[in-house]
Amino acid sequence: MNEIKKSWIILFVASLFEVAWAIMLGKISGFFSLLITLICIVISFWGLIVASKKIPTGTAYALFVGIGCIGTSLVSVIFFRELFSLQKMFFIALLLFSVIGLKVTSKEVEE
């Protein structure tokens, strides 16, 4: 697998860790949950840093935040019964299309 594909995978995994720590922020109840949250934060930002070496930083960060936002919203609705409206669904879909558009139109960083 080439370095650029690895960078995209790392960025996606980092975004999943962002979802994890964002959800856990509201659930911290002791030292162990705080420690897990901090570990997820470190892993997510490490992944963003590594991915930004091959993916333009603005694109990488926009995708990182977009995937994190979409993932956090979906996890909140599915597992924590957060209210979900048509307006929210519209804007999440808009964000999803924007994330896909950024991925499709971005150029990788040359070494």
Side-chain angles (χ1 to χ4, degrees):
M1 181 179 314
N2 70 27
E3 292 295 315
I4 295 178
K5 285 183 183 178
K6 284 182 189 176
S7 294
W8 285 109
I9 291 169
I10 289 169
L11 182 63
F12 181 74
V13 171
S15 299
L16 295 179
F17 276 95
E18 182 192 16
V19 171
W21 69 255
I23 293 293
M24 292 184 335
L25 281 177
K27 312 278 183 236
I28 294 174
S29 61
F31 179 75
F32 183 72
S33 58
L34 174 63
L35 182 62
I36 296 298
T37 303
L38 291 173
I39 290 169
C40 287
I41 290 170
V42 169
I43 291 170
S44 70
F45 281 102
W46 172 83
L48 177 60
I49 291 166
V50 170
S52 293
K53 292 180 181 177
K54 296 289 180 185
I55 302 168
T57 303
T59 301
Y61 185 68
L63 290 169
F64 176 78
V65 171
I67 293 169
C69 179
I70 292 166
T72 302
S73 295
L74 291 176
V75 168
S76 295
V77 167
I78 293 168
F79 294 105
F80 301 109
R81 305 199 188 276
E82 185 178 295
L83 294 177
F84 200 67
S85 65
L86 287 176
Q87 294 91 351
K88 192 178 223 181
M89 187 170 29
F90 170 77
F91 287 111
I92 288 174
L94 187 62
L95 184 57
L96 178 62
F97 287 122
S98 298
V99 166
I100 291 168
L102 282 170
K103 165 66 172 100
V104 169
T105 61
S106 71
K107 295 182 179 181
E108 288 75 20
V109 175
E110 299 278 333
E111 278 195 64

